[in-house]
Amino acid sequence: MSGSRQPAAVVDRVVVPAGTTASEAVKAAGLPLTGPKAIVVVRDETGRLRDLDWTPEVEVHVEPVAIDSPDGLSVLRHSTAHVLAQAVQDIFPEAKLGIGPPIENGFYYDFQVARPFQPEDLAKLEKRMQEIIKLGQVFRRRRFASLEEAKAELASEPFKLELVDIKGDGGAGQGAGIDTSEVMEVGGGELTIYDNIDPKTGKRVWGDLCRGPHLPSTRLIGAFSLLRSAAAYWRGSEKNPQLQRIYGTAWPTKDALKEYLHLLEEAARRDHRRLGTELDLFSFPDEIGSGLVVFHPKGGVIKREMEDYVRRRHIEEGFQYVGTPHISKEGLFHTSGHLPYYAETMFPPMQMEGANYYLKAMNCPMHNLIYRSRGRSYRELPLRFFEFGTVYRYEKSGVVQGLTRVRGLTQDDSHSYCTPEQAPDEVRHLLNFVLSLLRDFGLTDYYLELSTRDDSKPDKFVGSDEDWAVATAVLEQVALDSGLKLVPDPGGAAFYGPKISVQARDAIGRTWQMSTIQYDFNQPARFGLEYQAADGSRQRPVMIHSAKFGSIERFLGVLTEHYAGAFPAWLAPVQVVGIPIREDHVPYLQSFVDKLRAEGIRAEVDDSDDRMQKKIRTAQQQKIPFMVLAGDQDAADGTVSFRYRDGSQRNGVPIDEAVAHVVEVVRSRTNEGPSAA
RNA sequence: GCCGGUGUAGCUCAGUGGUAGAGCAACCGCCUUGUAAGCGGUUGGUCGUCGGUUCAAUCCCGACCACCGGCUCCA
């Protein structure tokens, strides 16, 4: 979610004369030091952010950074995290400090406390934070003369000591994932603490090991809110103790905070789990088990429309539709190489006739068997298999979530077998195809991620360095050629090869990982896949895995949130509902609806004994694209009257024209409207 | 899997150590209506499951299941 971030105003550099503070220079340049556009830090000539009380020894040119710029917001949030930590230690003196970095739209701080935080605690902490902010405490940077000095001062903070020790190691051996640069200058040779000073007394009231920089004063924290608390493993490893994390958000102004909280509300309103119940789309019966969904008739309509369309498009793009079973003997997954890597996340095997059978967690091994079922010629390549393959994965109990993280899912999975020479074109073809499909469903804003091998963890990946290099280069080139933004994801590759994933932004700016394209040189070798080349020799194909939506279930969830349940007409479970003004208008509307049904439109008449206004309300709540009303007037004129979801109307439309209108909107597969506007 | 929270009617939620209530939905009537809730009535719950404490448990305790928020993980 990207909130109301605005691009930083282009500010001229200001000159800080030797021996004076950055603050004085900013002030001399006539820039604000308070208010919603306050300059809070400066960027020096090396690109490093500096506190406003930084006093360079020689004249420097610096770039003022405003509180509402991306960097300024990070500083604001980082400082707010400090205020939170101070409040926590005021109220819970035994609390030990973890780390407290800014994150997108907010911040968090980790603490070790005797008792996990309760919601009431957050309210108390917010109140204490308000007091601290009101005091206008000053953040002051202080440099430790030595590691020993730092350790002596931080003796009562075991986690901070650990961080200092890590630094003492020379910063080496830090694979465990935490960003120590948050608390200290990695490689910068500096160890600093920020003291919080009460401006009235000049006394130090609190302090925290931190690299900074910080706001000049807590007073600049315009608005903040603590959002939730949760446990988090120290330094990100489940082998370490769990600390209690408090998440919060902070903004330069109350209005900006309000706007962000509205966005969160909007996200909650769109939650597909809630809409799935309200619109009667799907449910997760306890009796079946966690993470296993059933689609109700209305959800089934959307799912079928999606599948029908996607199947047709695959066939148009040269894919051949195949089908495979849900279980297999274990040997198959040994051959493919999946079992050693994923045994823990596959459902445990069942024994039958002396063999172990696994529920399948991936489709590719079975597609490989189809490839191998007979000799293949180079003339067949690229050979493209596609299916809706339902797979089962034993997701840990704590991670199952709605449709986005399930234990049974249907992949729109394809595998292209081609020569290494054909691979770049095939990847390009797939990328264009997946983007066109996403566009067809109304997702038009995306960027790419390139997931590569982590060379420091060779046991997580199989294959030679050369093969990885080739595969990665092919994907990278295609990604670059697409012109889309490309974000690296080191270490994110599957064990058998690198991947491109498409991240799509939804209507309220959240991004979701959708399609993936993976280059795999491993499985063809493991399965001994071959084709006969033009010269008669036997050659090894490469295979390219691709899922367009990833999982049909998840994509339906994403679409539900993207459209807030108001699906485009072509996907809507009920496309038209007829609303009679009076009970005796039902037959008139029924004949209209029959005409629509003859055209394949999903239409019905609301013949309940509710009043017309109530029927409109019901149809609105069900987010039905076309409401069609008819009373005496329309019946006499041979017309109907449209009310659309957005409340707009088109009255007195002749029957045939009305039918043609609905049919046109539905068949166009437009993702807009419909509306009279 | 780990930490915390939650679990009462189809949905949203009250409630209490003495075997339960509202609104909406559903059903039955009355009303006959032109663009977001007409009126009345009825039905509906082993209070997530199992065990314990107690004369008595929906309420207290424990285990399990599920969901929510995170962490970790995500072929």
Side-chain angles (χ1 to χ4, degrees), chain A residues 59-74:
Chain A
E59 179 180 293
V60 292
H61 295 248
V62 299
E63 180 193 320
V65 174
I67 194 167
D68 62 343
S69 70
D71 281 328
L73 286 167
S74 288

Side-chain angles (χ1 to χ4, degrees), chain A residues 548-581:
Chain A
K548 285 82 212 170
F549 296 155
S551 118
I552 299 291
E553 290 80 2
R554 187 177 126 92
F555 192 65
L556 178 50
V558 171
L559 279 188
T560 303
E561 305 213 355
H562 177 60
Y563 290 115
F567 291 98
W570 67 283
L571 288 170
V574 177
Q575 295 164 323
V576 179
V577 66
I579 297 178
I581 300 300

Side-chain angles (χ1 to χ4, degrees), chain A residues 22-39:
Chain A
S23 176
E24 287 168 64
V26 168
K27 196 172 174 185
L31 295 167
L33 288 167
T34 57
K37 300 272 180 194
I39 302 304

Side-chain angles (χ1 to χ4, degrees), chain A residues 128 132 153 169 183 186 213 269 310 345 408 434 448 454 464 522 600 641:
Chain A
R128 179 67 192 126
I132 292 169
E153 181 162 343
D169 279 351
V183 278
V186 171
R269 201 176 66 75
V310 170
T345 46
V434 303
L448 304 180
D454 179 347
S464 71
N522 269 299
S641 295

